[in-house]
Amino acid sequence: QRSEDPHGNPFLAIVLDPLRSLVKGNPELKAFRAYPPEWTNPIANQCPDGSIINEEKLRLEKFGSCWPSYYELDVEYYMSGGARNVLANLTQNFLWMRTLGSTPMCETEARSMYPDRVEKVAERLARYQPSGGGGGGGDVPSALIGASSRMAGGARSGAPKSAAGDGKPGDMKDDEDSELTKACQAVVEIATEKLVGNIGQLSKKELFTA
């Protein structure tokens, strides 16, 4: 990265964990970039993912000895229509047994990470300050509805859809709404995971305890 960036060829590290991806059924994918050698983080004990961990042992276990030297990037990925059809056929014909025999939300890692995920989302929502009164599409309930509709539409068609906004001009307003929409999408994602997990547990109970 340091040898190529000065010549206009930005580099980053993409890390894919195949074993975790196989177990969880989702790509465990992250991207990272290194800080310049002379850069010093003004925030003490800030980890590559933006969290602050004061215990040195925990930082080393999670991010390694070079934790102050790099930072994590936001990653988004998509699935093409063809790949989605292939995966749907595999799931219907071959992978349903694994789905039936596993409970992702009851795994130790999922349970330990759940409070942290909720806390991060709550902090992002708490930072949102609506500009101006009178409600409108920029408030939290409207953004939640828009995020939910967007996720539902994406699940049906595979195409990204925009959440509802209030149409107010200005780059600052757009950035503000974008951050709110991302936070609300995280809320919907957590709630959907819990809902699907509970439905699965109830279905298994009805199937195997009849």
Side-chain angles (χ1 to χ4, degrees):
Q1 176 188 323
R2 291 170 182 169
S3 63
E4 293 294 333
D5 277 5
H7 304 290
N9 301 316
F11 269 60
L12 56 85
I14 299 177
V15 182
L16 175 66
D17 191 325
L19 297 180
R20 287 170 57 88
S21 299
L22 183 63
V23 170
K24 293 182 174 297
N26 291 307
E28 287 290 313
L29 179 83
K30 291 189 176 182
F32 304 91
R33 274 180 60 84
Y35 289 117
E38 67 278 2
W39 189 85
T40 301
N41 195 336
I43 304 176
N45 300 328
Q46 186 179 41
C47 298
D49 64 350
S51 63
I52 297 176
I53 301 178
N54 294 319
E55 297 183 31
E56 180 72 14
K57 182 179 179 181
L58 294 179
R59 289 198 302 269
L60 293 175
E61 288 178 355
K62 192 170 183 180
F63 301 104
S65 59
C66 296
W67 64 267
S69 303
Y70 66 96
Y71 59 96
E72 183 178 336
L73 302 173
D74 291 333
V75 175
E76 294 182 359
Y77 54 88
Y78 70 95
M79 184 181 297
S80 66
R84 189 178 298 277
N85 289 333
V86 170
L87 185 60
N89 289 331
L90 287 174
T91 302
Q92 181 178 353
N93 297 326
F94 304 104
L95 303 180
W96 61 270
M97 291 177 287
R98 188 179 68 183
T99 302
L100 191 63
S102 63
T103 309
M105 77 171 189
C106 293
E107 294 177 358
T108 302
E109 183 180 10
R111 290 198 307 248
S112 63
M113 291 179 62
Y114 179 73
D116 186 49
R117 292 175 63 193
V118 173
E119 183 179 358
K120 286 183 178 179
V121 172
E123 290 176 354
R124 292 174 68 178
L125 289 175
R127 288 198 298 267
Y128 174 73
Q129 297 292 334
S131 55
D139 57 9
V140 174
S142 297
L144 278 171
I145 294 173
S148 179
S149 300
R150 180 180 180 182
M151 291 187 70
R156 288 192 298 267
S157 65
K161 299 191 177 184
S162 299
D166 57 7
K168 293 184 179 180
D171 294 339
M172 184 177 296
K173 182 62 180 174
D174 291 341
D175 293 341
E176 191 177 78
D177 287 346
S178 176
E179 288 301 316
L180 175 62
T181 300
K182 289 179 181 179
C184 290
Q185 286 175 345
V187 172
V188 173
E189 180 181 345
I190 293 173
T192 303
E193 286 180 8
K194 283 296 179 182
L195 181 60
V196 171
N198 289 330
I199 291 174
Q201 290 294 83
L202 290 173
S203 300
K204 293 174 188 178
K205 180 180 178 181
E206 292 297 322
L207 282 171
F208 299 117
T209 59

